Amino acid sequence: MSAIAGLLLGTFSFIFLISVVVVIHELGHYWAGRICGVHAEAFSMGFGPTLWSGRDKHGTVWRVAAFPLGGYVKFLGDAGAASEPDAEKLAELHQRMGPAADKCYHFKPIWARSFITAAGPIANFILAIFIFATLALSIGGPAYQPAIVGSVTAGSAAEDAGFREGDEIIAINGNEITSFQEIITEVIWRPGQEIAFDVTRGEQQLTLRATPRATEVEDEFGGTRTFGQLGLGNVPQLIRRDDYPLTPVGLVSAIGHGIDRTWSAVSMTGRYVGHIVTGRADASLLNGPLGIAEAAGQTAQRSVDAGRTPGESAFLLFINLVQLAGFLSVGLGLVNLLPIPILDGGHLVYYAYEAVARRPLSMKAQAIGFRLGLALVLMMMLLATWNDINYKLSQFF
């Protein structure tokens, strides 16, 4: 694949991913608002200059903007796309509209505002469940490699901890696992941290403690990342169809698979973020827009290269991008639930205060919170972008 073709494919893949997960997030807010009788003044797909716009019968302006990197819904009474209250506009609306002001988001009861706010992340989790379930139903679910040790690298952390070939790992730090893939995802972000493994060895049940070693790993694209590694090898894959480990599933099993895979992603991501906040994990695996674009491009390139025909390449491209959208949707939902003003989680914190204190936080305090929240989000973005740049530089130096 030429460099130009790769760039165009990567750009398309990135726009596809961001557009899907963000628009679904905002549609969650929009439909929850409709259910609660809140008027949406505008729904924008993308940012920047308007390419097309139209007003529906409910008075909402739907627009497609020039930069398709997300979107937003703006409710009546909002000062901006972050749904912060506009005090002057709210006062004027209440006086001018009277009972009709009930269509304003900020005049709704706490439960309605909380529901509308939480609906965005909820929509992301529902999207992830739908994606994983649909993939399992249409092409089969993965035949997971069992959490059985196939080999132990000499001189590794696993050997030091006493692992043996044939050991079955049933839990990590008290959390039950069922596949070897879960071992990998639990270990890579914990270099230098001691981990407790509950192991079944024949008739014995024992707990082994191992500390993954920080290991610089080079990927197929020439970039390097530092992961935690134990030195455990898995057992040979037993079930394969056309080199992709799949197994047929029914509707109920597919839905269960979608829920399970979404919950696994939520649990692992949540614990990783929690460890970062408490200083127990390195933030080097956090990615920003550049990292997402890189992941989208690499996924697209792998998919196209793996196909034996143009049709198979297109099929793999679609399947893998949709699957990546599922994981990205989980990440977006979780990030938005962080208790940071300007994010959905910050709004929910304000509403919790209002429910307990029986009065809303003052407009001044909310405004300060939004500014601090914006600064914190920008700092997080800068950190993630720094990680992305370091990875990109590692491909050349």
Side-chain angles (χ1 to χ4, degrees):
M1 182 184 298
S2 68
I4 295 178
L7 178 61
L8 291 175
L9 182 61
T11 301
F12 163 79
S13 302
F14 174 63
I15 291 174
F16 170 79
L17 290 173
I18 292 295
S19 298
V20 168
V21 299
V22 175
V23 168
I24 291 297
H25 178 96
E26 297 302 328
L27 281 173
H29 291 311
Y30 170 79
W31 282 110
R34 283 282 303 276
I35 291 171
C36 295
V38 175
H39 173 61
E41 293 185 318
F43 189 103
S44 178
M45 289 171 276
F47 297 92
T50 299
L51 299 179
W52 173 89
S53 68
R55 189 181 300 271
D56 66 18
K57 63 180 181 180
H58 302 288
T60 300
V61 174
W62 294 79
R63 64 189 294 266
V64 177
F67 304 110
L69 300 177
Y72 63 87
V73 58
K74 185 173 182 293
F75 290 118
L76 180 64
D78 289 348
S83 289
E84 68 271 27
D86 185 328
E88 294 183 3
K89 188 174 182 179
L90 289 175
E92 188 271 332
L93 277 173
H94 206 286
Q95 183 178 9
R96 175 169 55 84
M97 299 180 66
D102 187 51
K103 293 182 180 180
C104 178
Y105 170 81
H106 297 284
F107 296 150
K108 288 293 181 180
I110 296 174
W111 69 265
R113 283 176 280 148
S114 299
F115 170 59
I116 295 169
T117 298
I122 290 173
N124 282 128
F125 299 140
I126 292 174
L127 173 63
I129 292 171
F130 175 79
I131 286 174
F132 297 139
T134 301
L135 289 177
L137 186 63
S138 58
I139 64 173
Y144 289 117
Q145 293 172 307
I148 297 175
V149 177
S151 62
V152 180
T153 303
S156 66
E159 184 182 58
D160 293 344
F163 279 98
R164 298 180 187 173
E165 183 178 337
D167 286 348
E168 181 177 6
I169 300 172
I170 57 177
I172 296 177
N173 282 347
N175 298 309
E176 182 182 358
I177 66 166
T178 58
S179 70
F180 200 89
Q181 289 86 346
E182 291 177 272
I183 301 173
I184 297 172
T185 57
E186 289 293 335
V187 166
I188 60 173
W189 56 274
R190 285 186 165 112
Q193 295 184 40
E194 185 180 79
I195 304 174
F197 296 84
D198 293 335
V199 173
T200 297
R201 179 181 294 166
E203 299 297 321
Q204 290 182 291
Q205 288 205 355
L206 58 156
T207 298
L208 301 178
R209 298 184 179 277
T211 302
R213 295 172 184 170
T215 306
E216 191 174 84
V217 179
E218 182 175 347
D219 61 29
E220 62 188 282
F221 297 95
T224 58
R225 296 185 189 275
T226 300
F227 297 128
Q229 288 194 344
L230 284 177
L232 293 176
N234 54 3
V235 295
Q237 182 69 44
L238 301 178
I239 302 172
R240 289 187 179 274
R241 187 199 310 165
D242 294 331
D243 297 327
Y244 299 98
L246 302 172
T247 183
V249 297
L251 178 60
V252 175
S253 296
I255 294 173
H257 168 75
I259 294 173
D260 179 67
R261 200 162 193 192
T262 300
W263 171 246
S264 295
V266 168
S267 177
M268 192 275 289
T269 306
R271 280 182 283 117
Y272 175 53
V273 172
H275 277 62
I276 291 175
V277 172
T278 56
R280 292 179 292 166
D282 193 294
S284 61
L285 297 182
L286 285 179
N287 294 124
L290 293 178
I292 296 172
E294 183 74 22
Q298 291 183 0
T299 298
Q301 186 170 330
R302 286 193 191 101
S303 301
V304 171
D305 291 344
R308 288 164 288 195
T309 65
E312 186 173 304
S313 292
F315 173 75
L316 291 174
L317 175 63
F318 175 76
I319 292 298
N320 290 329
L321 284 183
V322 168
Q323 181 169 248
L324 185 56
F327 288 111
L328 184 58
S329 191
V330 170
L332 180 63
L334 280 175
V335 166
N336 270 277
L337 285 177
L338 292 175
I340 299 173
I342 205 174
L343 299 178
D344 294 330
H347 289 286
L348 293 173
V349 170
Y350 284 167
Y351 301 150
Y353 171 87
E354 184 176 344
V356 173
R358 297 185 179 277
R359 59 181 177 82
L361 199 63
S362 70
M363 290 291 187
K364 182 178 180 180
Q366 290 191 48
I368 293 173
F370 280 118
R371 293 190 186 97
L372 292 175
L374 178 61
L376 185 56
V377 168
L378 289 175
M379 289 173 59
M380 291 171 58
M381 290 294 294
L382 286 173
L383 173 61
T385 301
W386 176 253
N387 292 339
D388 298 339
I389 292 173
N390 277 337
Y391 169 77
K392 197 64 182 175
L393 290 175
S394 73
Q395 293 178 313
F396 302 100
F397 301 102

